[in-house]
Amino acid sequence: MKLLVINGPNLNMLGIREKNIYGAETYEDLKNLVEKTFAEKGIEGEIYQSNHEGDLVDRIQQAYFDGTNGIVINPAAYTHTSVAILDALKAVMLPAVEVHISDVKTREDFRQISYAGKACVKTIMGKGFQGYVEAIEYLVENYK
């Protein structure tokens, strides 16, 4: 099984930005946890991050052609604005799990809409970095 973990804008700033919301762990800490989870599950995986919407769309589309079996995606701010990411997820038809470190439901009004989530088989939020582990496990258990 091959999974792709996609992270959107500003997630590379974890550990620096809004620690009261996202905690003190860094993006490197997140990558290490995800890579450890890949190894424990015996699956091939890639972690991709970009601050640019088009790059994220390109990587989602590439997943269709490179043998990826599922996507874990944290679109970050693009969750609430990007029809392009929604359309890319719909186009590739790969099972995708949306992840958010914080509980988006308890945040600002503008964060209550998730376009990307409309193309995902599951959404996990408010579980910190463990949400990524849960998303990987869900894909492995349900789509292997």
Side-chain angles (χ1 to χ4, degrees), residues 17-82:
R17 64 180 288 224
E18 300 174 283
K19 291 180 184 180
N20 60 318
I21 295 173
Y22 301 104
E25 292 180 292
T26 67
Y27 188 64
E28 283 300 313
D29 295 331
L30 174 59
K31 289 184 350 184
N32 290 337
L33 176 63
V34 169
E35 288 169 356
K36 178 182 174 208
T37 305
F38 288 155
E40 288 173 352
K41 300 293 177 190
I43 57 172
E44 182 182 347
E46 177 190 343
I47 304 165
Y48 181 82
Q49 189 275 328
S50 179
N51 294 316
H52 305 281
E53 182 179 32
D55 291 345
L56 298 169
V57 169
D58 288 344
R59 187 60 192 94
I60 292 166
Q61 291 176 357
Q62 182 184 342
Y64 180 81
F65 298 102
D66 70 10
T68 296
N69 303 106
I71 297 172
V72 174
I73 184 166
N74 183 340
Y78 289 134
T79 301
H80 323 291
T81 63
S82 182

Side-chain angles (χ1 to χ4, degrees), residues 98-117:
E98 178 186 32
V99 173
H100 296 284
I101 295 167
S102 68
D103 184 352
V104 180
K105 288 188 279 188
T106 65
R107 298 190 56 199
E108 302 92 340
D109 288 344
F110 69 87
R111 295 190 195 273
Q112 301 311 304
I113 295 173
S114 171
Y115 290 103

